[in-house]
Each structure stands twice: as structure tokens, then as C-alpha cells.
Amino acid sequence: MIGLGKRFILVLLDLQGVYLYTPDGIDRKRAHHQAVKQEADDVPTKRRGNLGELAFEQFCREYLPVEMWEWKNEQPLRKCNPESYAAYDFEVFGYEVDVKTSRDVSAFRPSHLLDQDPDDDIIVMVWHRDNEDGLILLGWERVETLESKVTTQESYSGTEPEKLDHLSSRPMNELMDLGPNTAHMNQKPENPFSPGDRVVKAADSDASVAVVVEVLPPETEVGIYGQSMDGEAVRVAFPSTLDEGPGDWRDIDAALLSSYCDDQDLKLYTYKHTNLDFAENPFVPGDRVVNANHDDPDEAVVVSRTDSSSEKAVTVVYATQLEDDQIPPAALSTHAEKHQLKQYSYNVDVLEGA
């Protein structure tokens, strides 16, 4: 399930069980990129479908026992890979659940839903706003109930008011009643990290800076050196490894780093989230920075770093001094010395990424 370190909102709108989900930037990027890599015939529709699944996943995470539901598209969406064909999106309490997402509420009419998915057990209905920045979980219904509704409508001899055409659905909170009477299990992640964060191993004075590539759901069982990890897991890559890839990983959106690393088969390392800290000195050779204290700062390139208990600083050369922008980051310091480029040292407190 996507979302470790993510910032999402799942708000109870009223007592009838209608919920609002607000996707963050990572969710929106991944939902779109997977639709592109899926080579979907209609990318916007596929993207919205992915967002609808994310909305329902967050509902499940917040309100249903985590061991009693499964999202079929979790790993493919996290890595932006094409999803394997599955007849349904989720399995909840043993029921096959399909999520339908639309801006047009008429798409949720019983007959229309049955035409699309007559073989699932349950259909969840998700309405999205025009700019896709908010999705509302309207409700759910058993397919057998939809079949009964359609049959009743077909045999009805009176005139059904067009403006009151019935949308058969049950409140979202009633989905909990399908399962056993278990203790409430809120499985929102405690992990503070998000893709793109620069981190170091905790309590290690000589730790190398790493880049968070993906965060795993709290319930995911991860083994390290043959031992099961007790806690939420974070997967990171080291800049030296990322530099070996075919593209400039710094230009890749943080949401797509896991997709990039998966495509290029770059080595990742897994840590328990409590064993990591945010890097006090996040900059590494090859990073482009500017001095935040300057009114019109010139872009500089980090060539080396100092990361001691007494000093957090980097040495840079200004980008205009580098005629060749293809110099490997590991060779920048040697290149600057060899060509006698003017170098400047700055405390990291006055720098920000360019």
C-alpha cells in the first residue's frame, strides 16, 4: 500500500459514511506514470481509476483489519509497472471488490455497473472532482443487489421520475459489518520518510547519505540477513549507485525513483525506519545548489563535502566554470583541482537545492 511518510487526508464527511480522499503529489505522479507505462488506451481514465483504488486503499487501511483485505495493484503502482491482469481490484473479507471511479454520477446506475462488471461480489463507487485533487467514496453495493434492482426496474409498470433515478449504494462504514467483530486496527504508517528524502543511518558518525526510494506498508514482512524485521521498512539507494544509471536521477521526480531503480535494476538497501535519521548535511557531489542569502544567486555544483560533528559544509564550483556538464560526480573534485577552478566553501545552512 502506498503511503509510508505520505500526507493524505481521509475525512468523514457525514454520518452516512461518505468519505473524501485527497491524493498527494506522489500518488498523483505514480497514478499517471503507471497509466502511461501500462500503455492504456485512455490514460486519463486509467489514471483516475488508479486514484480511486488509492482512495479505497486508504479507507481500508484506516477502518478495516489489515490482515483481512488485499490490494492487487499495490506493488505495480508503487513501482509504476503495468499491473497483471486481475478480474477485481481488492479482496476484502473474502469478497471480490472492484472500484469504479467516475466524474459522471450516472455511471453508477445499477444497469451501467452490471454491464461493466457482472462477475464481482461488491462494487465501490468513487466520484472525482474535475482536477482530480479530491475523490469522494460515495458507497458500495453487492452485485446481487444491483441485479435485483435492475430486474425490479425492468418489471416496473409505472413512470419512474427521471431526476430521481435510483443509485443503489450502501454507506462506506457499513462495509465493516461484512467482517468478523474484531478490534479496530488503524494501520496508518508511523514512518516519517518520503521518496526523495536524504537520510543517514542513525547513531553512525561516519554514515553515507542515502536517498529514500520507496517506503513499504507497515504490515509488509521484510527479511534482512535472514531475520524478520520488526517495524516499518524503508528502501534507499546511495548516490554513487544512482550515478551509475543511464539518466540524471536528480531530474527524476521523487515519486518515480522506485520505478527508475526497478527499470534499471539498481541496488536498493532496506532499513527499519527507526534506524534512519534525516541527513543534517544532505548535499553530495553532483548536486546543484544556490546560496539562499544571495538576491540573484548563481547555480553551483557540489564537488566535495565536510560532514563532521563540528562542521556541516560543502565545497562548490559555479556551474559557469564547468564547460563539460557530463563529468561524473565522483570526478568533480579532481577535475576542479586539475583545471584550477575557483572553489568556494559554504555551510549547508545557507544553501538550498537549485
Side-chain angles (χ1 to χ4, degrees):
M1 296 79 191
I2 310 289
L4 302 229
K6 74 191 267 95
R7 305 292 182 263
F8 62 80
I9 303 173
L10 189 60
V11 181
L12 177 62
L13 294 182
D14 58 41
L15 296 180
Q16 298 305 309
V18 176
Y19 296 83
L20 169 67
Y21 166 76
T22 303
D24 64 15
I26 287 177
D27 283 347
R28 297 180 75 171
K29 279 281 185 181
R30 287 177 170 171
H32 179 80
H33 196 62
Q34 191 209 33
V36 172
K37 290 185 69 175
Q38 185 97 25
E39 297 183 350
D41 294 333
D42 186 341
V43 168
T45 296
K46 174 59 178 170
R47 177 181 66 244
R48 294 169 193 137
N50 286 341
L51 289 172
E53 291 183 39
L54 282 161
F56 185 61
E57 184 262 350
Q58 296 298 344
F59 171 84
C60 291
R61 176 166 298 286
E62 189 129 353
Y63 295 101
L64 305 180
V66 71
E67 71 274 11
M68 295 185 179
W69 58 271
E70 178 187 2
W71 183 24
K72 302 296 183 181
N73 194 25
E74 185 267 314
Q75 282 205 36
L77 186 53
R78 174 157 45 84
K79 296 181 180 295
C80 298
N81 288 332
E83 60 181 308
S84 301
Y85 174 77
Y88 53 94
D89 300 319
F90 289 79
E91 185 172 318
V92 180
F93 299 127
Y95 294 96
E96 296 176 359
V97 177
D98 209 50
V99 179
K100 294 301 175 188
T101 308
S102 179
R103 180 68 174 84
D104 182 2
V105 180
S106 68
F108 304 136
R109 291 175 177 171
S111 58
H112 191 279
L113 292 172
L114 281 180
D115 287 342
Q116 290 187 313
D117 285 284
D119 300 322
D120 298 316
D121 297 323
I122 290 172
I123 293 176
V124 173
M125 289 154 264
V126 183
W127 177 87
H128 70 84
R129 295 200 291 228
D130 281 336
N131 56 5
E132 303 168 27
D133 64 341
L135 295 94
I136 295 178
L137 285 78
L138 297 176
W140 62 279
E141 191 56 270
R142 294 175 183 265
V143 170
E144 60 185 24
T145 301
L146 296 174
E147 292 172 343
S148 176
K149 169 61 181 174
V150 170
T151 300
T152 300
Q153 284 182 313
E154 289 175 348
S155 61
Y156 180 59
S157 58
T159 301
E160 187 176 66
E162 183 177 349
K163 290 186 179 181
L164 296 179
D165 197 9
H166 183 57
L167 301 178
S168 180
S169 69
R170 302 180 64 177
M172 289 303 304
N173 53 313
E174 289 187 6
L175 195 63
M176 309 169 199
D177 298 336
L178 294 180
N181 185 18
T182 58
H184 176 69
M185 292 184 67
N186 187 331
Q187 290 292 314
K188 290 193 299 183
E190 298 177 357
N191 196 319
F193 303 110
S194 294
D197 286 341
R198 301 286 179 95
V199 296
V200 294
K201 188 175 180 181
D204 186 344
S205 59
D206 194 33
S208 298
V209 172
V211 181
V212 174
V213 170
E214 58 184 4
V215 288
L216 303 183
E219 68 277 3
T220 302
E221 293 186 7
V222 178
I224 300 180
Y225 303 119
Q227 301 295 319
S228 178
M229 175 186 293
D230 181 20
E232 298 176 20
V234 177
R235 289 198 173 123
V236 306
F238 289 96
S240 57
T241 300
L242 292 168
D243 289 336
E244 296 172 359
D248 188 348
W249 58 273
R250 293 171 177 83
D251 293 337
I252 298 173
D253 191 285
L256 307 182
L257 280 173
S258 73
S259 177
Y260 174 73
C261 291
D262 189 59
D263 289 345
Q264 303 303 325
D265 197 27
L266 298 180
K267 185 169 180 56
L268 302 181
Y269 297 83
T270 304
Y271 291 90
K272 184 177 177 179
H273 81 283
T274 52
N275 289 338
L276 294 174
D277 286 330
F278 288 103
E280 294 182 31
N281 181 356
F283 301 116
V284 297
D287 286 343
R288 292 181 174 259
V289 296
V290 294
N291 191 323
N293 290 338
H294 293 174
D295 292 334
D296 186 19
D298 292 327
E299 189 175 275
V301 180
V302 176
V303 299
S304 63
R305 51 184 273 125
T306 302
D307 194 16
S308 65
S309 58
S310 60
E311 185 180 13
K312 307 290 183 185
V314 296
T315 300
V316 307
V317 297
Y318 281 94
T320 53
Q321 296 177 269
L322 294 173
E323 296 179 359
D324 183 1
D325 59 1
Q326 300 300 317
I327 302 170
L332 282 169
S333 182
T334 301
H335 177 85
E337 293 288 346
K338 179 179 178 181
H339 294 274
Q340 298 181 332
L341 303 182
K342 181 65 175 176
Q343 301 182 49
Y344 302 83
S345 292
Y346 295 104
N347 189 289
V348 297
D349 292 339
V350 302
L351 296 177
E352 59 185 33

